[in-house]
């Protein structure tokens, strides 16, 4: 595995690979690699001759009060995981090389990015689509895999490549969970043992939704309220939002129509750690 830190060298390398007819697959991460990231690497490896993993903690997608400076950066451990997972190129640029002096152009996400994570984290999705556009230009992939864990991000990125005619296939990968159902996340290390155990309440909420929708209940708003109450009963837990949305537009859905797809979105504070999760349902 080759480690590259310079955008220009990564871009020249990707161009050479394309000239040699290699199919390039990319997985973009902020590092602190875990099972979720590794599953994305496996998925991209199955359809690509060359796998590029990017690790970049992108300051533009963090708000001023968020955890940019304390975000975990265990680089040597990440590099070992990437090598073991069969990554060919690890692209880990510095902030200065991605946003050199004079940088001033950015991409703006549209209405899918307005609610939920976009509302709670102003500017977040503009930062995401800007860095994803740059990383796609630099790594020149045929395929890019993103996790459904960040479902709104995946929807925003699908829209980005359609709207800007970016020639890449975007693939969504299923959420990897711990044994108790908690979605694996780099931020789970901030949880105490007790919080981690209690955090299974998010998954219990998803299971409640599944049972109710299987019973053909259509009042999505009512189901979301029940899940909110389940979570609020957990000491130290506080809901940021729990809601069903139309899966493509990410607008709230209160009542289900037969055979339509809806996504349940959850954002919950466990102490001061913010957890997100989601699940897709067909009514
Ligand atoms: P991050 O490093 O948190 O920016 O995540 C990088 C990629 O990994 C994104 O596409 C995430 O959606 C994906 N990802 C993070 N956690 C999981 C998980 N538990 N299961 C599947 N994909 C995940």
């Amino acid at each position: 595995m080759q480690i590259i830190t310079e955008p220009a060298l990564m871009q020249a390398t990707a161009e050479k690979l394309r000239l040699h007819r290699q199919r390039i697959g990319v997985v973009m991460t902020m590092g602190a690699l875990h099972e979720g990231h590794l599953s994305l690497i496996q998925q991209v490896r199955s359809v690509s001759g060359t796998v590029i993993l990017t690790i970049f903690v992108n300051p533009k997608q963090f708000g001023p009060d968020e955890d940019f400076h304390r975000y975990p950066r265990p680089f040597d451990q990440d590099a070992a995981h990437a090598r073991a997972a069969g990554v060919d190129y690890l692209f880990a640029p510095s902030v200065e090389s991605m946003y050199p002096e004079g940088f001033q152009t950015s991409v703006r996400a549209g209405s899918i990015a307005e609610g939920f994570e976009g509302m709670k984290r102003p500017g977040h999705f503009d930062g995401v689509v800007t860095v994803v556009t740059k990383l796609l230009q630099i790594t020149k992939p045929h395929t890019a895999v993103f996790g459904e864990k960040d479902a709104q991000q995946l929807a925003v990125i699908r829209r980005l490549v359609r709207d800007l005619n970016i020639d890449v296939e975007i693939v969504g990968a299923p959420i990897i969970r711990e044994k108790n159902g908690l979605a694996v996340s780099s931020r789970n290390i901030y949880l105490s043992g007790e919080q981690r155990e209690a955090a299974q309440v998010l998954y219990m909420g998803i299971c409640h939704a599944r049972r109710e929708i299987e019973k053909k209940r259509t009042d999505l708003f009512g189901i979301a309220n029940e899940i909110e109450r389940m979570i609020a009963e957990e000491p130290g837990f506080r809901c940021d939002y729990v809601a069903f949305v139309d899966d493509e537009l990410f607008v709230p859905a209160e009542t289900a129509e037969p055979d339509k797809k809806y996504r349940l979105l959850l954002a919950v504070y466990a102490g001061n750690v913010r957890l997100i999760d989601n699940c897709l349902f067909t009514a």
Side-chain angles (χ1 to χ4, degrees):
M1 184 182 78
Q2 192 179 335
I3 297 175
I4 297 181
T5 57
E6 279 310 311
L9 177 59
M10 184 70 253
Q11 200 169 38
T13 305
E15 182 57 24
K16 221 180 281 171
L17 288 163
R18 277 191 165 246
L19 286 173
H20 286 92
R21 303 210 161 275
Q22 277 291 315
R23 283 197 71 81
I24 302 175
V26 72
V27 172
M28 299 178 186
T29 76
M30 300 201 297
L33 299 183
H34 53 60
E35 292 299 316
H37 299 123
L38 298 180
S39 77
L40 267 47
I41 296 170
Q42 301 312 336
Q43 185 147 343
V44 88
R45 225 160 58 122
S46 66
V47 293
S48 314
T50 299
V51 173
I52 302 175
L53 175 75
T54 74
I55 295 184
F56 181 59
V57 185
N58 174 33
K60 292 203 183 294
Q61 71 191 67
F62 285 78
D65 299 328
E66 291 182 359
D67 55 349
F68 173 70
H69 290 291
R70 68 176 188 128
Y71 198 85
R73 291 168 172 83
F75 184 76
D76 293 342
Q77 194 183 307
D78 283 348
H81 281 312
R83 195 172 284 116
V87 168
D88 299 291
Y89 295 92
L90 171 55
F91 177 54
S94 64
V95 171
E96 295 71 33
S97 68
M98 288 292 276
Y99 302 116
E101 218 181 294
F103 180 92
Q104 55 182 261
T105 307
S106 51
V107 183
R108 206 164 60 79
S111 61
I112 301 171
E114 276 169 12
F116 305 99
E117 288 307 280
M119 173 117 77
K120 299 289 177 179
R121 306 179 66 187
H124 170 70
F125 284 120
D126 291 349
V128 168
V129 286
T130 299
V131 81
V132 167
T133 304
K134 283 172 69 70
L135 290 170
L136 290 172
Q137 295 295 328
I138 293 167
T139 60
K140 298 174 176 271
H142 297 85
T143 307
V145 178
F146 294 88
E148 277 174 26
K149 162 87 182 350
D150 301 280
Q152 193 175 9
Q153 167 175 284
L154 177 57
V156 166
I157 291 169
R158 285 193 195 282
R159 196 68 244 182
L160 163 76
V161 303
R162 272 163 74 188
D163 289 349
L164 300 189
N165 303 85
I166 302 178
D167 189 12
V168 63
E169 181 198 14
I170 302 295
V171 174
I175 300 176
I176 301 298
R177 299 179 178 282
E178 293 186 1
K179 268 207 198 81
N180 69 0
L182 172 65
V184 176
S185 164
S186 307
R187 290 188 170 101
N188 291 355
I189 57 161
Y190 302 145
L191 296 170
S192 69
E194 223 167 88
Q195 285 173 323
R196 210 176 177 120
E197 195 51 38
Q200 63 181 299
V201 70
L202 278 80
Y203 189 63
M204 285 157 58
I206 290 174
C207 295
H208 177 68
R210 185 173 298 133
R211 279 193 302 271
E212 297 307 302
I213 288 171
E214 273 170 12
K215 286 188 216 156
K216 295 291 169 202
R217 247 180 89 181
T218 56
D219 59 324
L220 300 177
F221 189 68
I223 299 173
N225 277 339
E226 289 157 14
I227 297 170
E228 256 187 69
R229 279 201 295 276
M230 280 169 68
I231 293 170
E233 273 171 21
E234 203 57 62
F237 280 57
R238 181 165 62 82
C239 289
D240 202 0
Y241 58 74
V242 176
F244 285 88
V245 293
D246 172 296
D247 189 43
E248 230 176 275
L249 304 174
F250 269 80
V251 291
E254 299 208 346
T255 311
E257 289 169 34
D259 300 323
K260 261 197 81 174
K261 283 187 164 49
Y262 298 95
R263 197 174 285 275
L264 170 65
L265 304 176
L266 306 103
V268 172
Y269 281 99
N272 54 14
V273 185
R274 192 166 180 279
L275 303 171
I276 59 167
D277 205 334
N278 70 86
C279 189
L280 186 65
F281 296 98
T282 305

